[in-house]
Amino acid sequence: MRVTMIGAGYVGLVSGACFADFGHTVTCTDSDGARVAALNRGEIPIFEPGLAELVEVNMRQGRLAFAEAAMDLGHADAVFIAVGTPSRRGDGHADVSFVYDAVRTIAPLLSRSAIVVTKSTVPVGTGDEIERILREKRPDADIAVVSNPEFLREGAAIQDFKHPDRIVVGSDDLRARAILAEIYRPLYLNEPPIIYVSRRTAELIKYAANAFLATKITFINEIADLCEQVGADVQEVARGMGLDNRIGGKFLHAGPGFGGSCFPKDATALLKTAHDHGVALRIVETVSAVNEQRKRAMARKVVTALGGSVRGKTIAVLGLTFKPNTDDTRDSPAIPLITALQDLGAIVRAYDPAGMEQAKAKLETVVYCHSAYAAADGADAVVIATEWERFRALDLARLKSEMAQPVIVDLRNIYRAEKMKRAGFRYVAVGRAGVE
Ligand code: UGA
């Protein structure tokens, strides 16, 4: 199959490289000429484990190419739109202007029976508007518009693309369904279910899935708060709940709140859609509000661990990204945590294996260090904000020797209290008993 991706950002690049790896011939286009030039030199502009290798192999074997402008789309079996849909300034609606711009640009280049597929996360009804634009621009053509949302997690995107739990195809057009089935056919070995639904349903599935996962996290975070008050262990509660197949154990890790480029933005956009249609999504509303408050509130844990004040104290924050295996600090809980600590008079030192460049643009007064141990130098407390693999096996004796006081606040619950006790630390976790 011949596939064209409009947009070589996170979703376009991962999807394009994976489609090429399936054996399809893929061209990824992007209006950013510098990005395309870099990709053609083999430089990958985003941090995603395994992506550079996948791009390199498929380029070398002639299945993947990058171009600045979408040229002749007449031969493409499907044209995927994978441009960004950021939060619109002011009202939190998803800004779909890049999607519509892309549609206007490609309209004259499409074949008369083209299939245009939206992979960008777009509000319900966006596909209808795309169809309207295409009808207006191409009255001669009969173009099918499909919604095919992605469910990739940053840091695990290739694995998620190649081993999806399901593929959602939103279209009533039988020809479009058959083409999408053919594009995803190489996955049949793993037999992921393909669900064929209407376009609006597909668009909503994506938002509902993200909002539900965000709800699960927020639920366990509040249970963690209760665990701390009643002397229960949230990890055991989560396991005890999650073994019930109706609940499932995933996304029940308590922590400092969810972040990233999707959950916070998508929850807000879903709420806007609901309000526009006169529907109250009170659970999602609460999840958003509780999560925002939680991020800054994590600073109170540090204050308590240090006996009531952090003024003049040095705090080492390990991890700045919203989760491991990414350099993405968008809506990362570490950012409001750090600003809250600074507002309370603390001096913050920080280390992250990949996210320091992005963090520097948001937090200027932090002392950025080259390792966890360097960050801990003279610190009154170490706060683990992201569960990077390398923070799971810290040399505790070395860490302690660097610090002014042996205090660890583990916001990701990656250590055991007994181990910390043996190592001589005061240890505070989330929803679990610590060590005094
Ligand atoms: C999320 C979804 O998981 C993907 O399915 C979806 O495709 C993607 O958004 C998107 O819409 O593009 P992502 O934002 O990359 O993926 O990251 P997640 O692994 O879902 O984590 C989101 C946040 O929740 C992180 O801050 C993470 O630390 C937090 N989290 C996750 C928890 O606090 N506890 C958990 O149990 C799981």
Side-chain angles (χ1 to χ4, degrees), residues 108-190:
L109 307 168
L110 294 166
S111 76
R112 282 190 179 172
S113 55
I115 291 173
V116 172
V117 190
T118 314
K119 260 221 173 291
S120 307
T121 298
V122 294
V124 178
T126 303
D128 298 359
E129 178 61 15
I130 294 175
E131 199 169 79
R132 197 196 59 72
I133 296 172
L134 288 173
R135 270 210 208 102
E136 185 185 294
K137 299 257 170 210
R138 289 295 302 275
D140 61 312
D142 180 20
I143 297 168
V145 178
V146 184
S147 164
N148 172 223
E150 56 85 15
F151 302 100
L152 313 175
R153 287 165 303 162
E154 285 186 28
I158 293 169
Q159 162 74 15
D160 284 353
F161 198 95
K162 292 192 169 180
H163 302 272
D165 289 338
R166 80 302 206 185
I167 294 154
V168 174
V169 174
S171 171
D172 294 327
D173 185 305
L174 295 182
R175 191 174 53 92
R177 286 181 176 192
I179 294 279
L180 267 287
E182 190 54 26
I183 289 173
Y184 283 104
R185 195 179 48 77
L187 288 178
Y188 283 6
L189 282 179
N190 307 321

Side-chain angles (χ1 to χ4, degrees), residues 10-11 48 119 121 149-157 160 166 206-207 209-210 213-214 216-218 220-221 249-266 291 294-295 321-324 326 328 330-333 385-387 411-412:
Y10 194 83
V11 172
E48 181 62 37
K119 260 221 173 291
T121 298
E150 56 85 15
F151 302 100
L152 313 175
R153 287 165 303 162
E154 285 186 28
D160 284 353
R166 80 302 206 185
K206 166 70 192 210
Y207 280 99
N210 272 5
L213 290 170
K216 232 178 149 181
I217 298 168
T218 304
I220 203 67
N221 283 343
K250 292 183 179 159
F251 278 66
L252 283 180
H253 298 288
F258 59 78
S261 64
C262 303
F263 286 172
K265 163 178 87 82
D266 291 352
N291 191 63
R294 182 172 188 84
K295 293 180 188 175
T321 52
F322 79 100
K323 66 177 200 173
T326 174
D328 198 342
R330 280 178 287 178
D331 273 312
S332 170
T386 314
E387 68 277 34
L411 299 179
R412 297 291 184 167

Side-chain angles (χ1 to χ4, degrees), residues 203-279:
E203 289 167 340
L204 191 53
I205 285 174
K206 166 70 192 210
Y207 280 99
N210 272 5
F212 189 81
L213 290 170
T215 302
K216 232 178 149 181
I217 298 168
T218 304
F219 180 86
I220 203 67
N221 283 343
E222 290 201 316
I223 294 293
D225 294 345
L226 183 59
C227 284
E228 287 173 18
Q229 298 308 315
V230 301
D233 183 317
V234 73
Q235 284 181 307
E236 288 169 6
V237 172
R239 187 169 145 74
M241 287 169 60
L243 285 171
D244 184 327
N245 281 334
R246 293 169 302 176
I247 298 173
K250 292 183 179 159
F251 278 66
L252 283 180
H253 298 288
F258 59 78
S261 64
C262 303
F263 286 172
K265 163 178 87 82
D266 291 352
T268 311
L270 179 61
L271 287 171
K272 291 289 170 196
T273 301
H275 289 167
D276 287 352
H277 290 84
V279 174

